Amino acid sequence: MTPVMAAGAVAKQAEHRKQDGNVLFQNNQFIAAIHAYTEAITLCPNVPIYWTNRALCHLKRNDWTSVEEDCRTAVQLDQSSVKAHYMLGLALLQKEQYADGVRELAKALDLGRGANPKSYMVEEIWQELAKAKYLEWDHESSRHTLELKKLKEACESALKDKHELDCSQMEGFIRNRSTSLLKQLDALGRVFRIAAEDDTPTEVPDYLCCKITLDILRDPVITPSGVTYERALILDHLQKVGKFDPVTRQPLKESQLVPNLAIKEDLHAFLDKHSWAYRMG
């Protein structure tokens, strides 16, 4: 048997073991599936899908360390693997490595949108990314709020100490000094309320929301009529409801949809500053 034929036989055997793993996975026999995928990997270690398939088995067993290890290998073999970046992001979030997890999920989302914007996986990745960004914001917001509270208390204490010192030295002006202290404390409170504004959820501007669902946009596209929609939703409308703009009722084809880069830039800027809004997506 020639080297080429031998390599082909090994690849075929590895593929058979992968198929065995798939059947075992579908039957919820995750440990047995792991063994099958491991055999496929041993035979052909440079096939990314063998690693991501095994990672999915580890995920089902909540073995996040193994998920991370297998997905890192898969990413090294194929930088465009949506599943590898996605599961790696989930594994990092389990370790509370929010920034790294968010980065991997965002990469998976970009790759998924490029491959198939209507894929169920794109929606699933978005939901996990939104959850992760919100958790990241919540973690940082709690820390920031605590820091502001401590700083405010320290400033108030310093003002009161100064007030007492001044009163002891200026006995005839106690009423004026008390009024001054109240004004200073009030001004201090306003400063800290302004500082806390970015951590306070408000309303998402209307122009950043989809005209169909009124949810915050994710992947905005604009029609010839000038109306902006969420890409997946307008594509679904065109496929299931009809070839027309749901707001203007004008005829509309998929080829006429154009990414709304201006809205997308504003959207990213808004979410970067107000990550609480991810909870509304």
Side-chain angles (χ1 to χ4, degrees):
M1 182 181 293
T2 66
V4 173
M5 292 175 63
V10 170
K12 188 174 181 179
Q13 186 180 356
E15 191 63 18
H16 280 312
R17 296 307 293 140
K18 185 199 85 169
Q19 295 300 332
D20 292 340
N22 291 350
V23 172
L24 291 165
F25 179 86
Q26 290 169 2
N27 291 323
N28 295 326
Q29 296 176 263
F30 303 126
I31 294 178
I34 287 171
H35 291 322
Y37 292 133
T38 299
E39 290 180 23
I41 288 169
T42 301
L43 292 166
C44 293
N46 294 325
V47 180
I49 195 171
Y50 298 166
W51 295 92
T52 52
N53 282 8
R54 191 171 73 172
L56 185 56
C57 293
H58 292 312
L59 185 151
K60 292 294 185 179
R61 301 183 68 247
N62 291 318
D63 183 357
W64 293 104
T65 299
S66 296
V67 172
E68 179 183 356
E69 291 172 354
D70 279 2
C71 287
R72 287 195 185 280
T73 301
V75 167
Q76 289 175 353
L77 294 171
D78 181 10
Q79 287 286 332
S80 64
S81 173
V82 176
K83 289 183 179 180
H85 285 289
Y86 175 47
M87 289 189 289
L88 177 56
L90 295 180
L92 292 171
L93 292 176
Q94 288 293 321
K95 298 168 65 176
E96 296 187 356
Q97 295 180 11
Y98 295 114
D100 291 340
V102 163
R103 185 177 63 248
E104 292 298 330
L105 290 177
K107 179 69 174 177
L109 186 63
D110 287 341
L111 291 169
R113 282 174 173 164
N116 184 1
K118 293 188 288 185
S119 166
Y120 78 92
M121 236 190 129
V122 169
E123 175 64 21
E124 184 177 320
I125 294 168
W126 164 263
Q127 293 295 339
E128 291 295 340
L129 177 60
K131 188 191 304 180
K133 289 290 288 184
Y134 181 81
L135 287 173
E136 183 182 31
W137 167 80
D138 190 51
H139 177 76
E140 288 300 313
S141 176
S142 296
R143 182 185 60 79
H144 187 228
T145 299
L146 182 60
E147 289 178 351
L148 284 178
K149 181 175 181 293
K150 289 180 178 179
L151 181 58
K152 182 172 181 287
E153 289 173 351
C155 291
E156 288 174 342
S157 178
L159 282 175
K160 291 174 181 177
D161 288 345
K162 185 177 184 301
H163 170 71
E164 291 181 4
L165 179 62
D166 290 346
C167 286
S168 66
Q169 297 174 350
M170 304 174 64
E171 294 182 2
F173 300 91
I174 291 179
R175 179 176 298 177
N176 290 340
R177 300 303 301 178
S178 296
T179 302
S180 175
L181 173 63
L182 291 175
K183 289 182 179 179
Q184 289 174 333
L185 290 174
D186 183 61
L188 184 67
R190 289 198 300 272
V191 168
F192 278 93
R193 282 194 294 274
I194 293 172
E197 282 181 357
D198 286 346
D199 289 331
T200 305
T202 54
E203 293 291 330
V204 177
D206 289 342
Y207 80 101
L208 295 180
C209 296
C210 177
K211 296 298 184 290
I212 296 176
T213 64
L214 303 182
D215 288 334
I216 191 167
L217 290 161
R218 311 170 189 178
D219 187 14
V221 292
I222 190 169
T223 69
S225 303
V227 183
T228 297
Y229 298 101
E230 176 61 34
R231 181 192 295 275
L233 292 171
I234 188 64
L235 289 176
D236 188 63
H237 167 86
L238 293 176
Q239 181 181 4
K240 296 180 181 178
V241 181
K243 306 292 185 181
F244 61 90
D245 186 315
V247 171
T248 67
R249 317 299 289 185
Q250 295 295 314
L252 178 64
K253 298 178 182 178
E254 181 177 338
S255 60
Q256 294 177 290
L257 299 174
V258 178
N260 192 329
L261 300 181
I263 291 293
K264 197 167 189 177
E265 185 176 344
D266 286 353
L267 180 65
H268 287 169
F270 182 83
L271 288 172
D272 283 344
K273 188 175 182 180
H274 307 289
S275 292
W276 49 261
Y278 275 101
R279 195 174 190 178
M280 306 176 70

